[in-house]
């Protein structure tokens, strides 16, 4: 990189920004690279967004997103004061890293293979990451995390189910981490929990150090709307509110608040679409295994796979030529031979399997 211009704050030149999966504008692409939901949002959410667009956009939105927080609280069996909402869970995570993990000289503990945004926030806020390697089966190593938490540390972050592996931890293991780090926040990112995992939200009342983060981008099909939230005891939510109100009082616009509320009110649609995704995941897993792939056990809306006889980067490139997009991470080395494939509609899964069958037969 060239020398940063003198206009930049010096830290800007040191940042290593997150690189999202590509969002190409190409017709007919089978897009299985960013874990979006293959189904559109609830029609009720779309209707609520349209109605919100017709009425009141000249006025600021409710800065506290009160009705949305009440809706989320009722759904998850907590009270509205225990819910914090943000512009996508990435923003909630960023505010949480700022609020809880800046403890001079003390590292933040998380897995070496997990959501890569965690490292980006560490860079932004000057937090030292301490990467704790996954175990041999690519599961989160709770023993190693708990052992490390005996020494001074800034907190623990885990994605459950983990990304990009899809492997989930039972709640008893989350409770072990909570007990191992009683004086620091344990942040559990449950972006994929609705596809088969167990949520730690039920543990919030017993654990003052637990913060659970959710998104509406995956299981609620609202990646384009940008809504995420956190659940925790009041002192944690208070800290998040203080940081948010020192940065942006109105993170959720009127359309986002209206759409998110309506999406949560349409429980039948949610159940139907997530069941369809889970069903497709189970079917696709068997088909991929028939093609010779090793498929990690997934509780998410994607599978993490490798093939003993085919290089992952080459497979991803061949699939791309056939208009099928999947995600390949070159780093870390340990996962460089895996592909992360989001679960599509049955038609998209079929297109993937057909393309893979041809690629494998022709090489
Ligand atoms: C997708 C994802 C997020 C981000 O969700 P947004 O609400 O769209 O910002 C956060 N954490 C994990 C693990 C994810 O996979």
């Amino acid at each position: 990189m060239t020398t940063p211009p003198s206009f930049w704050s010096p830290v800007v030149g040191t940042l290593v920004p997150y690189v999202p999966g590509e969002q190409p504008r190409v017709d007919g692409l089978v897009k299985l690279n960013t874990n979006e939901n293959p189904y559109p949002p609830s029609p009720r959410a779309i209707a609520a967004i349209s109605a919100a667009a017709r009425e009141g956009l000249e006025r600021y939105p409710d800065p506290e997103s009160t009705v949305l927080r009440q809706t989320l609280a009722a759904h998850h069996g907590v009270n509205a004061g225990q819910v914090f909402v943000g512009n996508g869970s990435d923003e909630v995570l960023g505010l949480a890293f700022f609020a809880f993990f800046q403890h001079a000289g003390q590292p933040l503990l998380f897995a070496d293979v997990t959501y890569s945004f965690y490292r980006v926030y560490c860079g932004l806020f000057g937090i030292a990451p301490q990467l704790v390697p996954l175990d041999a089966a690519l599961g989160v190593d709770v023993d190693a995390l708990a052992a490390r938490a005996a020494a001074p540390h800034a907190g623990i972050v885990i994605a459950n189910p983990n990304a990009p592996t899809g492997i989930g931890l039972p709640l008893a293991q989350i409770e072990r981490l909570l007990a191992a780090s009683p004086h620091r926040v344990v942040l559990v990112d449950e972006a994929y929990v609705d596809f088969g995992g167990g949520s730690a939200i039920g543990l919030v009342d017993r654990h003052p150090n637990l913060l659970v983060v959710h998104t509406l981008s995956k299981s609620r099909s609202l990646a384009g709307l940008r809504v995420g939230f956190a659940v925790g005891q009041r002192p944690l939510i208070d800290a998040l509110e203080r940081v948010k109100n020192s940065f942006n009082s109105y993170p959720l616009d009127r359309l986002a608040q209206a759409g998110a509320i309506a999406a949560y009110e349409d429980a039948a649609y949610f159940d139907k679409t997530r069941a369809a995704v889970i069903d497709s995941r189970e079917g696709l897993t068997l088909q991929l295994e028939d093609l010779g792939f090793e498929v990690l056990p997934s509780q998410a809306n994607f599978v993490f796979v490798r093939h003993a006889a085919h290089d992952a980067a080459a497979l991803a490139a061949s699939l791309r030529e056939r208009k099928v997009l999947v995600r390949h991470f070159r780093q870390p080395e340990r996962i460089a031979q895996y592909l992360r494939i989001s679960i599509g509609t049955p038609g998209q899964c079929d297109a993937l399997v057909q393309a893979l069958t041809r690629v494998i037969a022709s090489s």
Side-chain angles (χ1 to χ4, degrees), residues 265-287:
E265 285 171 345
D266 197 348
Y269 186 85
F270 169 69
D271 287 337
K272 188 174 76 178
T273 48
R274 77 166 163 163
V277 169
I278 292 169
D279 207 50
S280 295
R281 178 185 71 208
E282 300 311 304
L284 181 61
T285 297
L286 297 177
Q287 288 177 296

Side-chain angles (χ1 to χ4, degrees), residues 88-90 93 115 118 159 163 189 191-192 215-218 226-228:
S89 65
D90 285 338
L93 291 167
Y115 188 39
Y118 305 151
D189 180 352
Y192 300 104
T215 175
L216 278 70
S217 296
K218 314 286 169 50
R226 313 304 304 132
V227 184

Side-chain angles (χ1 to χ4, degrees), residues 113-178:
V113 176
T114 189
Y115 188 39
S116 49
F117 226 130
Y118 305 151
R119 281 188 88 155
V120 175
Y121 292 127
C122 285
L124 181 61
F125 300 129
I127 299 164
Q130 174 150 13
L131 306 183
V132 178
L134 296 183
D135 64 24
L138 296 188
V140 170
D141 191 339
V142 174
D143 288 332
L145 280 167
R148 180 58 190 76
H153 62 290
I156 301 176
V157 178
I158 90 156
N160 191 35
N162 197 17
T165 62
I167 298 174
L169 277 183
L171 290 182
Q173 302 291 344
I174 302 293
E175 292 207 83
R176 281 188 57 211
L177 292 176
L178 290 162

Side-chain angles (χ1 to χ4, degrees), residues 15-149:
L15 298 178
V16 183
Y18 180 74
V19 183
E22 55 175 327
Q23 299 284 359
R25 293 196 197 119
V26 178
D27 284 344
L29 217 54
V30 177
K31 198 174 168 305
L32 304 175
N33 67 328
T34 52
N35 294 347
E36 289 141 326
N37 201 301
Y39 301 105
S42 155
R44 285 170 63 176
I46 295 168
I49 292 165
S50 311
R54 286 192 298 270
E55 174 114 27
L57 275 184
E58 68 282 7
R59 284 183 284 117
Y60 280 109
D62 172 9
E64 313 304 339
S65 299
T66 310
V67 179
L68 173 57
R69 286 190 302 108
Q70 287 166 345
T71 304
L72 296 171
H75 183 89
H76 290 288
V78 296
N79 62 61
Q82 296 173 310
V83 181
F84 176 85
V85 296
N87 193 259
S89 65
D90 285 338
E91 183 186 78
V92 176
L93 291 167
L95 298 174
F97 273 55
F98 186 93
F100 305 120
F101 299 142
Q102 301 185 97
H103 298 282
Q106 300 185 9
L108 178 64
L109 313 182
F110 52 91
D112 62 338
V113 176
T114 189
Y115 188 39
S116 49
F117 226 130
Y118 305 151
R119 281 188 88 155
V120 175
Y121 292 127
C122 285
L124 181 61
F125 300 129
I127 299 164
Q130 174 150 13
L131 306 183
V132 178
L134 296 183
D135 64 24
L138 296 188
V140 170
D141 191 339
V142 174
D143 288 332
L145 280 167
R148 180 58 190 76

